[in-house]
Amino acid sequence: MAKEVHAHSVPGQSENAWEPLVDHLKAVAAKAARLAAPFGGGAMAEAMGALHDAGKANPDFQAYIRGLGPGVDHSTAGAVFAVERYGPVLGRMMAFGIAGHHAGLANGRVPGGGLSSLNDRLAGCRPHRLAPEQDVAPASANPSAPVLSEGFSHSFSLPFLIRMLFSCLIDADRLETERFYAELRKEEVDRGCPLTIGDLRGRLDRHLSQFEGESGPVNALRAEVLAAARAGSEQAPGLFSLTVPTGGGKTLASLAFALDHAERHNLRRVIYVIPFTSIVEQTADVFRTALGDRDAVLEHHSGFDFGPGPDKGRRAADDPEEEGPDGIAKLRRAAENWDRPIVVTTAVQFFESLFSNRTSPCRKLHAIAGSVVILDEAQTLPLKYLLPCLEALRELARGYRTSVVLCTATQPAVTVDSGFKGGLETVRELAPDPQGLYRRLKRVTVERIREPLGDEELAERLRAERQVLCIVNNRRHARDLLRQVANGLNDPESARHLSTCLCAAHRRAELAAIRKDLKDGAPVRLVATSLVEAGVDFSFPTVYRALAGLDSIAQAAGRCNRNGELRKDGLPELGRVFVFSSPESENRKPPPELSQFAEVAASILRTHDDPLALDTIRAYFQRLYWQRGREELDAALVGEGAEPIKGILEALRLYQRGQDYPFADIAKAFRIIESPLVPVIVPYRPADDPDAVPRLLRDLDYVPAEKTGGIARALQPYLVQIPRSARNTLIAAGAAECVRKGELGEQFVRLVNGDLYRPDVGLDWEDPTFRKIETGIF
């Protein structure tokens, strides 16, 4: 009987409380169809939902959930049925997602990423047939998805659609499993936000009204930018640019455009993509203040990996389903599904998810459809993956009702109109007269210091200034320079530091203190990394910037005389920006991922005097992008026979025939950060809530493993990201420990040796055995 075949068991309760398979299939099918409706994939997603757990009808699986046998593959059966019922094109597109709805999207033809190929799985499966009452899949699944129409680059469009359908299936399956267990426990599930786009637009209007009538040329220019952006929101969805010099108010102008545009065209959310994790929380705070609601704004970055628990490192061959008998295990993968109207995330999270094959990062992708995506500092698009990223943006705009805004002070020249072959087409500018804005917002002079500047001489220069900002290229340089500056001052507390060695809550407190001192005219000698170059609205009369890309130099200049406030004898005065390099003997080179930008900038500055001039910026991007070969703008991956395929886009074209797309190999190749950082929870004690971290850690000791997502989000302000090798060293030395490792793996790692987190420089992990002298006194 159908009621005797179950999708999920309930520990400790009779089978009367278990979830019937047919109920789960119907619920997931309906949910997946709704999630895919914005891009016309509802029919295909419904069929995938109806078939995804068809393998659970197998008597061997029913024995497994009763504790009477080993686990079995229950995902491949539905993939076989999809191909049989819907044919070699649509059916195979569905089969990728159905077969991978626990382990991830596999390669079509060859094994990869620890997964068997889809071909091998289909060929090796002889599925147990569904009873008629269990077969709830529609007879037809013809989609209305525009990406299946003529005129699309099908070598990219079809695998992109497969990944989007996969996203809908994953989210629907997780949400319905979550709903079933929550109802069983009579618990409410915290999902979504009651505020609409229209509600948030009204709140933003009220916030912006307080700035109306402010005097001064800079405020007048910002008002013009805001008005032009809002006027542009009436245009049809698609590709836009907002080219505004730093300090021109583009953050709130872009948000105003996005909310106006979303309401006008019935779009669902705004996704703000930021290049650096360190400024996600700053931008999110700006939006929360402007919108008057914390719940409407979701921060999502790599602070916690919401992946599987302690078994996450095992190969799929060891546990192909990663699902326990009751199904609760998959709820550990409680990755965000971006169910808020405003999402603030990182470029790494956004683009790596678009090319991922894993369930957690792919789960949220469907939320991008029917949204407005703001790419803040668009010039930071990853160079190694520039062509795939541009193709993804083009696909979102033309096939998924997504408006994309390239928002930057220095447009990266990636459009066809700018001369970039293969660039974006029909990109509409929202700013009024970008070249005129640059002329009107000139507030600084930039001088290149020709001779290398050692730390001792640099520190002496910084000490000679009353208020000065120095931006360097890595955390170690910032820490060392800070100490050298402080050691030579009568008032060492005026030497300040900002880097990602400080947790977000600590950075917020430091920023508030620095802004107050600047306003009060107190001495401030700030040494920082590039995290201050975007989303930080303080202003110094003098700025030093270590040699970097011209876009970074322009951002640094935006922290100098930001509001045109400098005066001399009652007349406007320009701020001063100095660009310097360090002697090779001091080993202060930029990290490898930034060195190519610095090298190109250095070559351009040999023939151009003003780093901020429009012709200088244009020459910089020409050399950075246009003069590079295609293989330098598209990461290679390894194909059959270990032969390198020169680029992700080429691989998709090569495997288009037969739909043998190498999803696992592409996911492996698309890594913006080769050595990703991992989080450590630090014992920072904010003044307004000093017990926050201990309280959250106490809560973490008792909350069920599948319900840790809320605590993970609450802990994000108290994380410091460090190399995995450094975290392993801390753990080995007993300076850090995993919280509930048996259940949560390495998802939560807390710092035990609190002496390693210092008030001036944050987390210093070089000597994990360090202890303050007073710590050892009893």
Side-chain angles (χ1 to χ4, degrees):
M1 297 292 292
K3 288 292 184 181
E4 296 175 352
V5 177
H6 297 94
H8 299 127
S9 62
V10 181
Q13 296 198 30
S14 72
E15 292 190 18
N16 290 333
W18 295 12
E19 183 175 31
L21 175 61
V22 68
D23 289 358
H24 181 62
L25 295 179
K26 286 180 178 179
V28 173
K31 177 77 74 177
R34 288 195 295 273
L35 296 177
F39 56 88
M44 293 181 71
E46 179 185 4
M48 292 172 69
L51 293 174
H52 79 289
D53 274 354
K56 289 186 175 181
N58 187 330
D60 291 341
F61 184 88
Q62 293 299 303
Y64 165 62
I65 64 173
R66 290 169 171 83
L68 303 177
V72 297
D73 172 6
H74 74 259
S75 300
T76 310
V80 171
F81 295 153
V83 175
E84 290 177 352
R85 179 166 301 185
Y86 304 113
V89 177
L90 294 183
R92 186 171 175 83
M93 291 175 68
M94 299 178 198
F96 275 105
I98 295 171
H101 79 272
H102 285 291
L105 293 172
N107 292 337
R109 189 191 306 174
V110 295
L115 301 173
S116 301
S117 71
L118 179 65
N119 286 355
D120 288 345
R121 289 185 65 177
L122 293 176
C125 180
R126 299 292 180 267
H128 179 86
R129 294 290 156 176
L130 292 169
E133 62 271 20
Q134 298 162 350
D135 188 351
V136 296
S140 168
N142 292 324
S144 58
V147 295
L148 296 181
S149 61
E150 293 298 322
F152 281 82
S153 171
H154 285 172
S155 64
F156 191 87
S157 297
L158 293 187
F160 198 87
L161 177 59
I162 289 170
R163 196 179 277 105
M164 280 291 193
L165 291 168
F166 176 59
S167 168
C168 295
L169 176 62
I170 295 302
D171 198 25
D173 187 28
R174 304 297 189 261
L175 289 173
E176 284 304 318
T177 302
E178 179 183 69
R179 177 200 56 76
F180 170 72
Y181 285 107
E183 289 182 357
L184 197 69
R185 297 166 176 160
K186 295 182 172 54
E187 297 176 349
E188 290 188 8
V189 177
D190 180 18
R191 290 281 178 189
C193 172
L195 294 177
T196 66
I197 290 290
D199 295 332
L200 296 176
R201 180 175 177 270
R203 290 175 174 227
L204 181 62
D205 286 342
R206 290 191 290 275
H207 175 76
L208 293 174
S209 66
Q210 64 184 302
F211 303 112
E212 292 177 0
E214 287 191 346
S215 60
V218 173
N219 288 323
L221 184 146
R222 291 170 180 164
E224 290 179 32
V225 170
L226 176 63
R230 302 196 80 161
S233 66
E234 295 293 319
Q235 300 179 71
L239 296 170
F240 298 91
S241 58
L242 181 62
T243 310
V244 179
T246 301
K250 61 181 178 291
T251 299
L252 286 180
S254 61
L255 178 62
F257 163 83
L259 291 175
D260 289 353
H261 189 67
E263 187 174 34
R264 171 68 176 81
H265 298 286
N266 196 29
L267 303 179
R268 302 183 297 167
R269 62 180 49 82
V270 177
I271 301 171
Y272 215 88
V273 182
I274 293 176
F276 309 114
T277 302
S278 57
I279 58 174
V280 165
E281 69 275 357
Q282 297 170 33
T283 304
D285 282 345
V286 170
F287 290 167
R288 289 184 180 116
T289 298
L291 301 173
D293 189 274
R294 295 195 63 81
D295 193 49
V297 182
L298 170 70
E299 298 175 39
H300 189 208
H301 52 75
S302 59
F304 280 108
D305 178 3
F306 294 95
D311 60 354
K312 65 179 289 186
R314 300 194 310 198
R315 291 172 57 90
D318 299 327
D319 184 5
E321 299 309 316
E322 291 189 355
E323 179 183 49
D326 54 20
I328 294 178
K330 68 184 173 187
L331 294 184
R332 283 200 311 260
R333 297 186 290 275
E336 296 290 355
N337 63 351
W338 288 2
D339 60 353
R340 297 295 196 277
I342 308 288
V343 176
V344 185
T345 189
T346 63
V348 172
Q349 182 74 229
F350 184 79
F351 285 109
E352 285 194 356
S353 295
L354 283 170
F355 291 89
S356 178
N357 72 321
R358 291 175 49 219
T359 57
S360 290
C362 285
R363 175 180 179 180
K364 59 185 173 286
L365 294 182
H366 68 84
I368 303 174
S371 297
V372 183
V373 174
I374 308 290
L375 286 176
D376 189 36
E377 308 305 339
Q379 77 280 354
T380 60
L381 284 170
L383 189 62
K384 184 178 178 182
Y385 307 98
L386 182 62
L387 294 179
C389 287
L390 294 180
E391 198 63 45
L393 296 177
R394 190 183 351 255
E395 194 70 22
L396 287 169
R398 67 187 176 182
Y400 294 85
R401 293 195 70 243
T402 301
S403 283
V404 178
V405 183
L406 305 175
C407 183
T408 178
T410 52
Q411 279 294 346
V414 293
T415 65
V416 170
D417 289 344
S418 67
F420 183 55
K421 185 177 179 181
L424 300 176
E425 300 170 329
T426 320
V427 179
R428 291 157 286 175
E429 178 60 56
L430 296 170
D433 184 18
Q435 293 198 14
L437 292 178
Y438 276 91
R439 289 192 297 270
R440 293 166 59 192
L441 265 178
K442 183 174 176 61
R443 294 154 298 171
V444 302
T445 60
V446 182
E447 178 184 336
R448 173 78 192 277
I449 299 174
R450 298 296 174 181
E451 296 300 320
L453 204 58
D455 279 3
E456 184 175 346
E457 184 181 356
L458 178 58
E460 185 176 345
R461 281 176 170 246
L462 299 180
R463 288 192 295 265
E465 301 281 349
R466 183 172 177 82
Q467 292 186 338
V468 62
L469 165 65
C470 181
I471 303 173
V472 295
N473 287 320
N474 60 65
R475 297 189 285 193
R476 179 188 293 240
H477 193 185
R479 181 196 63 198
D480 295 347
L481 183 59
L482 169 84
R483 289 171 175 164
Q484 190 153 3
V485 172
N487 287 340
L489 288 170
N490 293 326
D491 53 346
E493 67 279 357
S494 71
R496 312 292 274 273
H497 169 266
L498 281 174
S499 79
T500 51
C501 289
L502 276 62
C503 68
H506 195 168
R507 290 198 300 268
R508 280 199 291 268
E510 282 296 298
L511 279 168
I514 290 167
R515 289 190 181 105
K516 183 179 186 302
D517 285 348
L518 289 173
K519 183 179 179 181
D520 294 344
V524 179
R525 288 99 176 180
L526 174 60
V527 180
T529 59
S530 60
L531 72 89
V532 303
E533 289 181 348
V536 180
D537 61 356
F538 54 39
S539 179
F540 285 82
T542 304
V543 171
Y544 282 78
R545 182 51 167 105
L547 182 64
L550 288 191
D551 51 317
S552 294
I553 293 171
Q555 288 295 327
R559 312 311 125 188
C560 183
N561 194 24
R562 183 175 178 84
N563 301 306
E565 66 271 18
L566 292 181
R567 292 286 187 273
K568 185 175 183 180
D569 299 327
L571 299 175
E573 184 181 20
L574 297 178
R576 300 174 301 154
V577 177
F578 298 96
V579 179
F580 69 93
S581 56
S582 299
E584 292 208 6
S585 60
E586 293 191 358
N587 193 25
R588 302 302 193 187
K589 292 181 179 180
E593 63 270 18
L594 299 180
S595 61
Q596 58 185 326
F597 300 98
E599 291 167 6
V600 172
S603 67
I604 291 296
L605 291 179
R606 294 189 189 104
T607 55
H608 293 73
D609 293 329
D610 183 359
L612 306 186
L614 292 180
D615 63 332
T616 308
I617 297 293
R618 181 177 177 83
Y620 170 74
F621 281 116
Q622 282 180 334
R623 188 165 301 178
L624 192 64
Y625 293 165
W626 302 353
Q627 296 180 14
R628 291 176 180 268
R630 188 177 182 88
E631 67 277 2
E632 294 182 83
L633 305 176
D634 187 7
L637 63 158
V638 175
E640 287 182 281
E643 290 295 325
I645 299 174
K646 296 186 184 298
I648 290 170
L649 300 183
E650 181 182 334
L652 290 173
R653 286 191 291 270
L654 178 65
Y655 286 101
Q656 180 181 1
R657 187 175 185 138
Q659 294 190 52
D660 289 324
Y661 305 114
F663 287 108
D665 289 344
I666 287 173
K668 182 180 179 182
F670 198 101
R671 288 286 184 271
I672 295 176
I673 300 177
E674 295 294 342
S675 301
L677 303 179
V678 293
V680 174
I681 305 164
V682 297
Y684 177 69
R685 299 174 71 86
D688 60 341
D689 189 6
D691 194 44
V693 174
R695 183 177 64 252
L696 289 167
L697 289 174
R698 285 195 299 270
D699 292 345
L700 194 58
D701 283 336
Y702 300 105
V703 71
E706 69 273 13
K707 297 180 72 64
T708 57
I711 295 176
R713 286 192 292 274
L715 281 168
Q716 281 183 343
Y718 308 104
L719 304 179
V720 173
Q721 305 278 345
I722 65 175
R724 184 177 294 276
S725 59
R727 192 174 76 172
N728 289 342
T729 300
L730 290 175
I731 293 172
E737 67 179 10
C738 300
V739 179
R740 292 170 62 187
K741 185 174 182 178
E743 299 168 86
L744 303 173
E746 295 183 351
Q747 185 176 354
F748 299 93
V749 176
R750 73 180 187 96
L751 189 68
V752 177
N753 181 358
D755 290 343
L756 298 182
Y757 192 79
R758 307 179 183 185
D760 56 348
V761 297
L763 182 59
D764 185 349
W765 61 84
E766 286 198 349
D767 180 7
T769 64
F770 169 80
R771 289 281 184 177
K772 296 177 185 176
I773 294 177
E774 56 267 30
T775 304
I777 299 175
F778 296 94

